[in-house]
Each structure stands twice: as structure tokens, then as C-alpha cells.
Amino acid sequence: AAGGKLLVVPVDGSHWLSMREVLDGLRQKGHEIVIIAPEINIHIKPSENFIMKMYPIPFTKEEVDGSI
């Protein structure tokens, strides 16, 4: 099987932590992965296993942390 391209728009939090393990496995199988995430987030961080694109949001880190 040939690797494909995946576009992922994750939700921050525990869902991302579980999804990241799956994405790491897919990368090892040859898939190219692009993650689209907000500039301010808690768990979604850059990795060598995927390309990360950030988009601006109208909240500060303090506001995001306070809502959680």
C-alpha cells in the first residue's frame, strides 16, 4: 500500500492526545500529515511527524486556560 496525504483539524484536549498516537503510526507507514490548529492551544504542539499550520483566534492564552 502507498502512503497518502491526511489533513487533520483536531480538537484540543484528550481527543488530541489519543489521535496523536494514531497519526504517529500512520506517519511511520508513509502518510504525509498536515495538522491545522489554532495559535493558542494546550496540547497540540509541533512534531517531526507532521506539518503544522496555525491560524489566529481572537482569544489570549490566559482566556483559553481560564475557560478550561
Side-chain angles (χ1 to χ4, degrees), residues 14-51:
S14 62
H15 289 74
W16 168 248
L17 299 175
S18 299
M19 181 186 288
R20 182 163 180 165
E21 289 185 36
V22 172
L23 296 176
D24 289 343
L26 289 171
R27 175 67 179 153
Q28 291 175 358
K29 294 182 180 204
H31 293 277
E32 181 182 338
I33 302 166
V34 176
I35 304 292
I36 299 175
E39 287 178 328
I40 307 295
N41 64 69
I42 296 172
H43 297 293
I44 306 169
K45 304 298 177 211
S47 169
E48 295 176 359
N49 290 335
F50 52 78
I51 298 166

